[in-house]
């Protein structure tokens, strides 16, 4: 499934289709937030993709490594200025190991939901914990499921409407699955992209962290550290590895 979704065509057009995520008011706060949590230690990005976050974080002096399952996405990262500065491992973020330990492991832009089962998501937390130094932090940025905004009997909800991109999600409420539909116009040509996801609640993520030996230390509505409330549509959560021990394998 991953090979079919994150293929060469998608990788080559990914930055253009995600241009709104490169806007300074979107990307800047994310990089600053992660830089502060990394401190003086190295950082590891799960699902590093084409380097939207890893490259500017590296430019700020943070030593960044990345795990990426899609070889086409990884090639796009390698072609960019500074791409060679990101130590890249091709593999699955649930099982792949990177040499050394890190003060920060992070997973952004809803990438945790690309793992389509609860078991895989739990394995991701455990793999993050294995890579963390004592006192290190695991950061996830992910949407809050939009179920409260679904009228009775409807299963679709838009998440972005722009001049060159429209996106909406369709929900399978029984199986906690959704499919993101992207419709993009580049140079007058239209393209479509569908990606499957498993949506997950903040409380469920907290339980996954607990199973991995991590403790919740922060939860914000966004990278600007706005308070997280019942009406928040996303969250940035931080779990920390205890300084006095190691996480469970």
């Amino acid at each position: 499934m991953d090979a079919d979704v994150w293929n060469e065509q998608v990788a080559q057009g990914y930055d253009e289709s995600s241009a709104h995520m490169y806007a300074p008011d979107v990307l800047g706060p994310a990089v600053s937030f992660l830089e502060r949590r990394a401190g003086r230690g190295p950082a590891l990005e799960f699902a590093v993709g084409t380097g939207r976050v890893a490259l500017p974080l590296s430019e700020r002096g943070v030593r960044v490594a990345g795990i990426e399952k899609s070889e086409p996405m990884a090639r796009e990262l390698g072609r960019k200025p500074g791409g060679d500065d990101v130590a890249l491992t091709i593999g699955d973020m649930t099982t792949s190991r990177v040499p050394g330990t890190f003060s920060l492991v992070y997973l952004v832009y809803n990438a945790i939901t690309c793992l389509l089962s609860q078991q895989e998501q739990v394995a991701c937390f455990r793999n993050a914990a294995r890579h963390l130094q004592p006192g290190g932090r695991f950061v996830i940025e992910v949407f809050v499921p939009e179920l409260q905004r679904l009228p009775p009997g409807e299963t679709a909800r838009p998440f972005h409407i722009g001049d060159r991109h429209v996106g909406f999600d369709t929900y399978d409420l029984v199986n906690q699955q959704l499919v993101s539909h992207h419709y993009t116009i580049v140079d007058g040509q239209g393209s479509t992209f569908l990606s499957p996801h498993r949506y997950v609640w903040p409380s469920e993520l907290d339980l996954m962290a607990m199973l991995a030996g991590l403790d919740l230390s922060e939860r914000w509505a966004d990278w600007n550290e706005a308070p997280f409330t019942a009406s928040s549509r996303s969250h940035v959560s931080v779990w920390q590895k205890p300084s006095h021990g190691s996480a469970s394998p």
Side-chain angles (χ1 to χ4, degrees):
M1 182 179 298
D2 286 322
D4 293 336
V5 172
W6 304 104
N7 56 33
E8 195 76 43
Q9 180 180 2
V10 170
Q12 291 178 2
Y14 180 81
D15 287 350
E16 183 69 27
S17 66
S18 302
H20 57 289
M21 296 300 295
Y22 284 82
D25 61 332
V26 174
L27 183 56
V31 175
S32 295
F33 184 103
L34 294 169
E35 180 186 16
R36 291 193 298 270
R37 272 63 183 184
R40 297 184 178 181
L44 171 62
E45 180 172 356
F46 284 178
V48 67
T50 63
R52 179 182 69 93
V53 174
L55 291 176
L57 186 60
S58 176
E59 289 173 359
R60 295 195 184 190
V62 178
R63 185 158 51 91
V64 181
I67 295 175
E68 175 55 50
K69 191 172 185 179
S70 167
E71 293 190 28
M73 295 285 279
R75 283 195 292 270
E76 292 300 311
L77 167 59
R79 294 187 181 108
K80 294 181 177 181
D84 291 341
D85 295 331
V86 177
L88 189 60
T89 297
I90 300 296
D92 193 312
M93 60 183 168
T94 64
T95 56
S96 294
R97 298 297 297 271
V98 176
T101 57
F102 299 83
S103 63
L104 174 70
V105 178
Y106 65 95
L107 184 58
V108 301
Y109 198 12
N110 308 318
I112 185 67
T113 68
C114 292
L115 301 172
L116 300 182
S117 71
Q118 187 181 69
Q119 291 84 354
E120 288 180 304
Q121 291 174 349
V122 168
C124 178
F125 269 81
R126 286 179 167 154
N127 199 30
R130 281 192 289 264
H131 283 93
L132 284 174
Q133 303 166 357
R137 294 171 172 86
F138 183 34
V139 177
I140 285 182
E141 173 200 24
V142 65
F143 63 88
V144 176
E146 297 268 61
L147 304 192
Q148 286 185 317
R149 296 179 172 89
L150 283 176
E154 293 192 13
T155 59
R157 183 73 188 175
F159 59 83
H160 181 261
I161 299 175
D163 293 337
R164 293 182 295 175
H165 174 265
V166 173
F168 66 90
D169 293 325
T170 53
Y171 286 81
D172 175 354
L173 303 181
V174 173
N175 296 303
Q176 205 165 314
Q177 302 280 324
L178 65 82
V179 176
S180 290
H181 303 248
H182 298 261
Y183 297 87
T184 306
I185 297 176
V186 178
D187 296 329
Q189 300 294 317
S191 65
T192 62
F193 171 54
L194 307 181
S195 60
H197 301 267
R198 180 185 188 268
Y199 62 83
V200 60
W201 301 97
S203 58
E204 189 180 3
L205 292 171
D206 291 342
L207 182 56
M208 294 178 187
M210 188 184 305
L211 292 172
L214 305 177
D215 301 318
L216 179 68
S217 61
E218 302 175 62
R219 174 159 290 140
W220 307 101
D222 55 34
W223 295 111
N224 291 306
E225 301 184 24
F228 180 76
T229 69
S231 60
S232 297
R233 302 183 68 175
S234 65
H235 64 100
V236 175
S237 295
V238 183
W239 298 272
Q240 193 162 13
K241 186 171 184 175
S243 299
H244 55 274
S246 60
S248 59

